[in-house]
Amino acid sequence: MSLNQAQGMAVAHRDGPCMVLAGPGSGKTLTIAKRIEYLITKYKVRPEEILVITFTKYAAAEMKERFRQIAGRAGIPVTFGTFHGIYYGILKWAYRLDQSNLLSDEEKYALIRQEAQRLGWEELAQAEDERDYLKELTAEIGNVKNNCLDIESYESVRYGAQRFRGLYRSYEEEKKKLRKIDFEDMLIMCRSLFLKRPDILGKWQERFKFILVDEFQDVNQAQYDVVRMLAAPQNNLFVVGDDDQSVYGFRGARPGIMMEFMKDYPDAVKVLLDVNYRSSAHIVSGALKVIGHNTERYDKKIRAQKGKGETIHVQEVKDPMEEGRYVLQKIREYREAGVPYEEMAVLYRTAVDARALSEVLAKHQVPFVMKEKITSLYDHFIGMDIMSYFHLSQGDYERKYFLQVANRPKRYIGRDSMSGGRVSYESLRNFYCDKEWMMDRIDQWEWDMKMLKDQAPYAAIQYLRKGIGYDGFLREYAAGRGIPEEEIFAVLEEIQQNSREYRTIKEWFAHVEHYKEMIERQRAKKGNDPAGESGVALMTMHGAKGLEYDLVFIIEGNEGSTPYKKAKTKEALEEERRLFYVAMTRARSKLIISYVKEKNGKDLSPSRFVEELLFI
């Protein structure tokens, strides 16, 4: 396996610190594997003294296998592992910990839920998706630890300084009582162990004389502190990463750590792997043009090994449904031209952005695989309300449909009036026979359902909203729970826009059923890696990191989507740009970016990243 000049320099580096800037498709796995071989064969380093750290078990296994292929035999005792795996091993040795001391994600969520409820966090009960709320709350607790911050001076913008500190302390105390540690504790406990016990640190420094770190741009402060201590005093620290692909700010990763490396080790050798073997020249130059607008980065001149290839195509479409049809048409064209479905990927900023497209692909029976869980619109309470109204309009009088919408909007119909077996308008009238004003409400409800019966779904939803007063109910619902109105109405608008395709409520039901079955099949699929499944890959930009495809679509290239609407600070916007850069550089031969002109009745602008690619 021949190496280019930069790869050869990196592989042959002898002692002391070295930072390898490895852009997308630059052969970093090969470089690390060859470096391990070089240390053993040329510099006679004992394999037991080499530690290779990656971020995932999958990456560690892949690196180990690549090294085995190069070395030509298995069983060479080099240590490959993840940050958490290595640090847990050290803690296990020092504190006699075992699996029973580790807090699972489910246990962590349960503990945080318990403490939040005890402290009277009302938002938890009001959250649309409790699990998502707990996930975000847990991430912020983890962030305090990953960044080695002092909780006493930490200011939580989202949850309020004092309330968040109270919950944090309460969670930590309960955890101690249970003799449990969470994922982030492994890092900070290892850090404090080394700071307090230089004798223990010395043993591990003696054990690992050469340390190689992959995906260095993803390290957080706690990981960096520990790896620096481990590498001392020889500082044979070989780090490989790309500051332009640092996209895990929510986990405490930041490109600043890569920038600081050269300050922490002023004598470090810096090598740029400057050849991209993956993408065509047009894709490489377009991606560099966009990422060049970031200020906190190492400047890089990268050239493509391949020829120019096809230009990056940017497509304007009317709305998400038209975007779905456009992507479907292109998928069919490239499939006919010989590109397998497995070599196509559709990337987006958040899973919500994929809903319209996934409906179009499901309808036209194009096979696809989703890396992240997608929530069906029709499982949202608004989807369930509309379905219940539609079932009632078709004479399907199951009790659950009456219960779902009896007071959406408010009709003052009590649950006890619908107890027992079958419910009908007649049974409701019998129950309220002594209340004239209730009889009028029930008559109106029955009349409204007759009005819906033969309408097309789009018109029926409009009648629900304006004629029956469902919009008014949603406004009250949002106000009562402190949820922004636009978030609630975005779901309703999306359901209504998607219903335009169907002429009858019966047709719409068939589509919803087919779509929900497809979502269930996706959820039932084992594993998180779409590579083993057959179909077009649909995934978030974060999920696409480390993967590559012949043809890549980036959809909803709009302001508010990418960059995400919550990214307000300079640092957050630069991370969003890095995420877009990651998405662009997944493509080998063809990159198509689309943006919509309107969504849910609102006019939208193209993303600033699209404009940077086209004009600046």
Side-chain angles (χ1 to χ4, degrees), residues 1 20 23 57 110 117 122 126 131 145 180 195 225 257 280 293 307 330 419 476 543:
M1 258 168 278
V20 179
K57 287 179 184 172
Q117 285 170 342
E122 288 176 10
Q126 294 169 353
R131 192 177 171 82
K145 298 180 184 184
K180 295 271 192 181
L195 287 169
D225 288 352
I257 291 176
S280 65
H293 286 80
K330 287 290 167 192
S419 59
E476 283 176 27

Side-chain angles (χ1 to χ4, degrees), residues 29 90 118 163 184 395 431 447 450 453 462 486 557:
T29 306
I90 292 168
R118 194 175 62 75
R163 287 174 75 238
E184 289 76 26
F431 188 88
W447 168 255
K450 283 177 182 163
K453 188 179 177 213
Q462 194 62 10
E486 60 268 23

